[in-house]
Amino acid sequence: MMSRQAFLCSLGSLYLSLLFVFLLMDVYARPANNSALKEKVAESKDENEILPPDHLNGVKMEMDGHLNKEFHQEVFLGKEIEEFEEDSEPRKNRKKLMVIFSKVDINNDKKISAKEMQRWIMEKTDEHFQEAVEENKMHFKAVDPDGDGHVSWDEYKVKFLASKGFNEKEIVEKIRNNEELKIDEETQEVLDNLKDRWYQADNPPPDLLLNEEEFLSFLHPEHSRGMLKFMVKEIIRDLDQDGDKKLTLSEFISLPVGTVENQQAQDIDDDWVKDRKKEFEEVIDANHDGIVTMEELEEYMDPMNEYNALNEAKQMIAVADENQNHHLELEEILKYSEYFTGSKLMDYARNVHEEF
C-alpha cells in the first residue's frame, strides 16, 4: 500500500504535469499577432518606452486588428483600473464600485441611465487622453536632448536603436557620416514601420521634424484624426484579402488564430470568432450591409465619438439590466462586477446591504 509521503509526492508531480499542459494550451490557443511592430513592442515594453505602446487605453480595437478585451473596464474605471486587481480584497473593491456608482448617478435617483453612462464614458476616455499627454511630455524630452522643441527622424532613430542595445555614439557617428548601419532584419522591419508612422504624424509642411503635438500623434494615433485614418488603413490592409479596401465578415474573422490541439483550445478559438462576428454585425457594420468600409471602421475606432459612447453605454447597461428597466441599479453592477471591473465580488447581495 502506498505511503502518505509517496502519495503526496505523486499528487504533486501530477499537479505540475497538468499545470504544464494548461500553459501549453494557453500559448497555442492564443490568437496570433501578425504585426511585427507589436511583437517587438510586447517583448520589450519596459525598456522601449519611446515606442508607440502596444495597447491604447479606451480604444475598442488594437492596432493589429484584435478586439480590446479590457475596453469596458477601461471606459468604466478610467485611471482607477489599476486599483481593481484580481487579488484585491473584494470588500475594498465593493466600496470603490459604490463610490463610482454615486459619481455616475449625477441626478442621485439610485439608478444609472444611458445618458449618464455616456457622459461617464466620455469623461473616462478623456482621462486616458490626458494621461497619454502627460506621458508624451516625458517621452518627448527624452528624444529631444537639445531642447529645441523638434525631433528629427534621425534623433528618434538613434534613441530607438540605443534602447535596442546598439552603441549610441557609434550610431550617431555612422548617421553623421552617411555610413551603412548594420541592423538585423527584424529590427529594420520595425524601423520601417515606425518611419511610415513618422511620415503620417508629420503635419504639413512635411519636414521630418515632429513637435510635441505631432510626437503625441506618432505615439498615440487615437489623438489625431489623420493618424486614426492611417491606423484604420493599416488594419484593413492586414485583414483585406481581396484588395478592395473593405472588409467582409469572413475577412474580419479569419485573422490567424491559435493552433488547435484539443477541445479546450477549439472552444477558445470558437469564442474568439464568435466575439468578432458579433462585433462586426452588431457594432462596426453600421448600415448592416455585410461590408465594413474605412469610414465605418474609422467611426468605430474613434474614442471620442459621442454616438459610439451612447451605444456603448446602452450595451453595458443591457449586460447587467436584470429587471429590464433600461437602467443600472447598484446591485446589478455589483453582481456583474467582473464585466465592469475585471474583478469578481463574492457574496455581493449580502454585503451590499451591510454597507448600506
Side-chain angles (χ1 to χ4, degrees):
M1 189 171 182
M2 184 182 293
S3 68
R4 176 181 174 83
Q5 184 176 5
F7 172 77
L8 291 175
C9 183
S10 175
L11 190 62
S13 299
L14 177 61
Y15 170 78
L16 289 174
S17 299
L18 287 172
L19 179 62
F20 180 71
V21 169
F22 283 130
L23 287 173
L24 283 178
M25 284 163 52
D26 180 58
V27 169
Y28 284 113
R30 197 174 295 133
N33 182 338
N34 67 334
S35 165
L37 175 58
K38 273 199 64 178
E39 286 174 0
K40 293 295 288 182
V41 174
E43 288 171 5
S44 49
K45 183 177 178 181
D46 293 335
E47 65 175 311
N48 293 322
E49 292 184 352
I50 56 172
L51 274 171
D54 58 336
H55 173 75
L56 304 174
N57 287 325
V59 179
K60 294 203 71 173
M61 188 179 288
E62 307 286 6
M63 286 186 284
D64 66 350
H66 284 64
L67 299 179
N68 177 6
K69 291 293 186 181
E70 285 76 43
F71 177 77
H72 300 120
Q73 287 102 41
E74 290 167 0
V75 295
F76 184 72
L77 300 176
K79 291 190 295 186
E80 295 177 25
I81 191 170
E82 296 176 0
E83 297 180 17
F84 283 81
E85 300 172 350
E86 289 186 9
D87 59 348
S88 183
E89 185 182 335
R91 191 177 185 86
K92 289 182 180 179
N93 280 351
R94 189 168 53 253
K95 287 182 177 179
K96 292 174 193 171
L97 262 181
M98 294 171 71
V99 171
I100 291 174
F101 181 90
S102 65
K103 290 179 180 178
V104 184
D105 178 26
I106 54 175
N107 64 1
N108 297 315
D109 64 352
K110 306 301 180 184
K111 57 181 183 289
I112 294 173
S113 68
K115 281 291 185 181
E116 286 175 321
M117 185 67 87
Q118 177 199 31
R119 178 197 65 85
W120 182 256
I121 288 172
M122 296 297 293
E123 186 178 311
K124 295 295 106 178
T125 301
D126 185 64
E127 200 173 272
H128 287 303
F129 267 47
Q130 296 309 314
E131 189 176 22
V133 169
E134 291 304 312
E135 289 178 357
N136 183 68
K137 289 179 180 178
M138 177 182 65
H139 296 156
F140 188 77
K141 288 180 181 178
V143 294
D144 181 29
D146 55 13
D148 64 354
H150 292 85
V151 178
S152 70
W153 167 247
D154 283 343
E155 283 179 321
Y156 176 78
K157 183 164 67 173
V158 167
K159 293 295 183 183
F160 167 72
L161 291 175
S163 72
K164 303 301 292 181
F166 290 85
N167 185 289
E168 186 168 341
K169 290 183 178 179
E170 288 182 8
I171 294 294
V172 170
E173 192 67 25
K174 285 180 179 293
I175 290 177
R176 183 182 294 125
N177 297 327
N178 291 319
E179 295 179 27
E180 182 181 356
L181 300 177
K182 294 182 179 179
I183 302 172
D184 62 273
E185 186 177 342
E186 192 175 6
T187 302
Q188 185 61 54
E189 185 180 354
V190 175
L191 262 180
D192 291 341
N193 282 321
L194 288 172
K195 193 168 187 180
D196 285 342
R197 292 181 62 153
W198 192 274
Y199 277 124
Q200 293 298 321
D202 185 15
N203 292 328
D207 54 7
L208 279 185
L209 296 174
L210 300 191
N211 58 30
E212 189 173 316
E213 184 178 348
E214 292 169 331
F215 193 71
L216 175 63
S217 297
F218 170 70
L219 291 182
H220 289 272
E222 76 276 18
H223 283 246
S224 159
R225 196 70 188 186
M227 285 299 289
L228 199 61
K229 289 179 182 289
F230 177 67
M231 185 162 64
V232 165
K233 286 180 181 177
E234 284 195 315
I235 290 173
I236 288 186
R237 181 199 64 196
D238 288 343
L239 305 183
D240 179 22
Q241 297 174 4
D242 59 13
D244 64 355
K245 298 182 180 179
K246 300 174 184 178
L247 296 179
T248 61
L249 175 60
S250 62
E251 287 173 328
F252 191 70
I253 65 175
S254 64
L255 195 63
V257 293
T259 302
V260 177
E261 298 271 336
N262 50 53
Q263 185 58 48
Q264 183 172 344
Q266 178 67 59
D267 292 342
I268 292 173
D269 279 359
D270 288 346
D271 287 343
W272 184 81
V273 170
K274 184 171 64 176
D275 288 344
R276 292 183 72 83
K277 185 176 186 293
K278 181 179 179 182
E279 197 73 8
F280 182 98
E281 294 178 335
E282 298 181 11
V283 185
I284 310 176
D285 182 15
N287 61 2
H288 305 294
D289 65 351
I291 299 291
V292 166
T293 64
M294 285 191 178
E295 291 75 21
E296 285 176 320
L297 189 56
E298 187 180 329
E299 289 303 309
Y300 170 80
M301 295 284 287
D302 183 4
M304 297 306 290
N305 185 318
E306 292 188 9
Y307 177 74
N308 283 353
L310 181 59
N311 278 342
E312 196 61 43
K314 291 176 180 177
Q315 288 181 43
M316 291 172 73
I317 289 174
V319 167
D321 183 21
E322 289 197 336
N323 61 11
Q324 298 295 299
N325 68 349
H326 306 292
H327 288 72
L328 284 181
E329 278 80 33
L330 177 59
E331 288 85 353
E332 291 172 327
I333 285 185
L334 292 173
K335 183 173 183 179
Y336 289 86
S337 63
E338 194 166 11
Y339 173 79
F340 292 101
T341 71
S343 296
K344 190 171 180 64
L345 304 182
M346 306 304 292
D347 299 326
Y348 84 94
R350 174 174 58 83
N351 286 307
V352 70
H353 291 297
E354 287 179 4
E355 302 292 350
F356 284 129

